[in-house]
Each structure stands twice: as structure tokens, then as C-alpha cells.
Amino acid sequence: MKLAQFKTIDSDWPRLGLWLNEAVIDVSALAQAVIGGGGSAAGWLQQANSTLEVLTRGPEALHDIDELIREAQARGFAADRFVFAPEAIEFLPAVNPGKILAIGRNYVDHAIEGGAEPPKAPLIFNKLSTSLSAHESPIVLPASSTKVEYEAELAVVIGRRAKQVSEKAALDYVFGYTLINDVSARDLQFGDGQWVRGKGLDTFAPLGPFLTSRDEIADVQALDIQGRLNGEVMQSSNTAKMIFKVAYLVSYLSQGITLEPGDVIATGTPEGVGVFREPPVLLQAGDVYEVEIEGLGILRNPVVAAEGSLV
């Protein structure tokens, strides 16, 4: 199941969406209509407006949404009342995480292209909650940096509280997967001596467009991943090439950091980033960067210059 968070053009409140047949279904509006018409859909769906509500309820929530769609179809509800084309809505981040934990140099070729040895243990940093952004939302080039670039990554979304879990059991704590662009200001990242500012600026964590439930992905370590700048392929790899696999990362992090429902793990980017190219390829106003991962969709973001300047 593919879920989304969105707003309509004429409203300002978040809604829970289900991606089906290349369109987004407004789950709560559909549930209200079905239940109001005498249907037996799960009552909580009438007020649901976030993916976090779904993942905290676990598999039962996915079952409830499935049943809602079946009942709506059986009762002949007019689809156009509850269905939106992608261009008719504003996507919000696929989930609102309590924390975004990210892994550096998790593909051998990316470590090598940067002149570093592949790490012997996961290299962990965090992206700030204020860096969170969404599909089709702009990446804003800050006045404080002249070397901003892209990093296409798989994002893991935790479904239930995980503390000191084993690698064998780790995937049971994962609700699903989405896409993230780990946008990075390289001059700040390398110049500061630590990565918080270079990785955590506003709009530097586009996440989405969908949250895909784990049951839809047969093998998370066998997904093609690609990053494209203005249509040109810059990054092309497969999650099989991760140094530290998803199950290991969930287990490793949980040994000392309690993972809560909705938390996101950005699993690292493959080779092809711009700063290590000759000449370097950096994001410019007017660019568009796309992240595509097999089975998860395409995350697309335009690049714009910051309004105003330092005074």
C-alpha cells in the first residue's frame, strides 16, 4: 500500500491519501461518506489525517483501509468526489518523523569517490526536523553556501518502538519505505568539521512522495536507485551495494537510540554525487533533481534561490 500526506488547493489542513490507479484518494472523506451511508468502515478512518496514525496502528490499519476501498466500490460511491490527480494537490512529507537519522558513506563506491576508506561501522548523523520538505517542494539554495548538491537515498520508516532489537527481528519494526534527497551544503559540511549545518538547513530533506508499506517490497536490498539532474542520470546503483544493510542499521541504531514510530533512517547515497566530479556539478537555481527507487516512485524537487540576502 502506498500512502501520502497532502493538502488540496482550496484547503489548508493535512489529509491522509491512498495512492491508487495513479491518483490520490482522500481516505477520511471517503470513510465519512461510506459510514454516513450506512457502511461499516472502521470509524477511526473518518478523522485520519496522517500516515503516522496508520503506522502506529500497524497491519490492522492497512486492513481497515483495504476494507474501506472494497466497501466503497461495492456501494458504488462516485470516485471523483474523493479522488485527486497528483497535479491537483500539494504533497506533504510522506511522514512527520520525530527524528531523521542518516548514514554516511554507506556505499563503497561513494566512499571511494570522496577519497575515504569504507567505514568499519555505520557513520551516523542527523538531519533536523526543520529541514523536512516534500515532493515537488523547492530546494532553497541558502545565502550561506555556494556548494549545495544532491544525494539520492532510500529512507526507512519505523513502525513500532524499537530498542535493542536483533538484526534477525529488525525488519519487523519497519513499517515501510520512502525516498529522501539528503541535500548537502558541502562547504559548510566540510568547513564546520561536523555535519549538522551542512546537512540540516531548511528544505534539505525532501521526503516522499509516498510511504510504501513493507509488504509491497519483496527484498529491500535489491532495489534499483537512481538520481537525475535535469533528466540526466547522475547516480545509478542498487541497494544491494549498501555496506550496512537495512536490518543491520535498524538493529545497530536501536542498541543505544530508541527508535519511535515515524522515525526515518536515511540509508546513504551511492556514487555520482556532484562535488567529487571533475568539474564539480552543484545545484543551481532552475535545476530539478529527481530520486527514483524501484517500487517506491519518484521524488522530484525544483531548485530555487533564497529570497533576500544577508544584511
Side-chain angles (χ1 to χ4, degrees):
M1 185 175 292
K2 284 182 166 52
L3 303 170
Q5 298 186 139
F6 72 101
K7 294 192 297 187
T8 61
I9 302 301
D10 58 354
S11 70
D12 198 37
W13 62 86
R15 302 177 185 223
L16 172 65
L18 171 66
W19 179 252
L20 190 65
N21 298 326
E22 304 301 313
V24 174
I25 298 173
D26 185 333
V27 172
S28 62
L30 179 60
Q32 291 167 22
V34 168
I35 293 173
S40 58
W44 70 272
L45 290 171
Q46 295 182 89
Q47 305 299 323
N49 63 4
S50 73
T51 53
L52 187 60
E53 293 174 73
V54 177
L55 63 88
T56 54
R57 289 175 178 269
E60 296 82 4
L62 299 180
H63 172 76
D64 289 345
I65 295 173
D66 273 335
E67 288 299 309
L68 171 66
I69 298 303
R70 292 193 189 98
E71 185 168 2
Q73 291 171 338
R75 295 169 68 86
F77 280 88
D80 57 355
R81 292 176 53 199
F82 314 103
V83 179
F84 298 87
E87 59 272 16
I89 63 173
E90 177 188 344
F91 280 94
L92 301 174
V95 68
N96 293 98
K99 51 186 173 288
I100 305 171
L101 299 170
I103 310 300
R105 301 174 189 155
N106 198 26
Y107 288 74
V108 172
D109 290 340
H110 174 53
I112 292 173
E113 74 178 347
E117 290 290 328
K120 293 181 171 53
L123 177 59
I124 304 165
F125 61 96
N126 68 299
K127 294 181 79 74
L128 305 179
S129 60
T130 47
S131 67
L132 195 64
S133 186
H135 175 62
E136 296 289 6
S137 294
I139 296 167
V140 180
L141 300 176
S144 57
S145 173
T146 60
K147 293 184 178 179
V148 176
E149 69 154 329
Y150 52 81
E151 290 192 9
E153 302 193 16
L154 169 75
V156 177
V157 180
I158 300 299
R160 58 192 179 103
R161 192 173 187 267
K163 185 174 179 63
Q164 296 181 330
V165 303
S166 68
E167 185 175 353
K168 182 178 180 180
L171 291 185
D172 293 337
Y173 293 81
V174 172
F175 177 85
Y177 309 102
T178 186
L179 304 90
I180 191 169
N181 189 342
D182 177 20
V183 183
S184 304
R186 297 300 192 188
D187 44 0
L188 304 185
Q189 178 188 356
F190 301 149
D192 286 355
Q194 45 74 26
W195 297 6
V196 173
R197 192 164 61 126
K199 295 283 193 174
L201 298 182
D202 293 353
T203 74
F204 273 29
L207 186 76
F210 315 116
L211 171 54
T212 300
S213 56
R214 180 165 55 91
D215 60 291
E216 285 204 2
I217 304 300
D219 184 358
V220 70
Q221 302 299 166
L223 304 178
D224 289 335
I225 177 171
Q226 192 173 93
R228 297 186 292 269
L229 178 61
N230 302 325
E232 179 182 354
V233 175
M234 308 299 284
Q235 299 179 272
S236 183
S237 190
N238 189 284
T239 57
K241 296 184 178 182
M242 286 182 188
I243 299 170
F244 305 106
K245 310 303 185 186
V246 169
Y248 181 85
L249 291 173
V250 173
S251 175
Y252 183 88
L253 288 166
S254 78
Q255 300 312 307
I257 300 172
T258 300
L259 303 176
E260 300 286 1
D263 284 352
V264 166
I265 303 171
T267 57
T269 199
E271 71 278 8
V273 299
V275 73
F276 301 129
R277 290 174 176 266
E278 194 57 51
V281 178
L282 301 168
L283 294 177
Q284 307 292 330
D287 286 344
V288 174
Y289 203 77
E290 295 176 312
V291 179
E292 181 171 7
I293 299 180
E294 182 181 357
L296 302 182
I298 299 173
L299 170 66
R300 180 185 302 106
N301 296 96
V303 181
V304 301
E307 295 183 4
S309 59
L310 296 176
V311 294

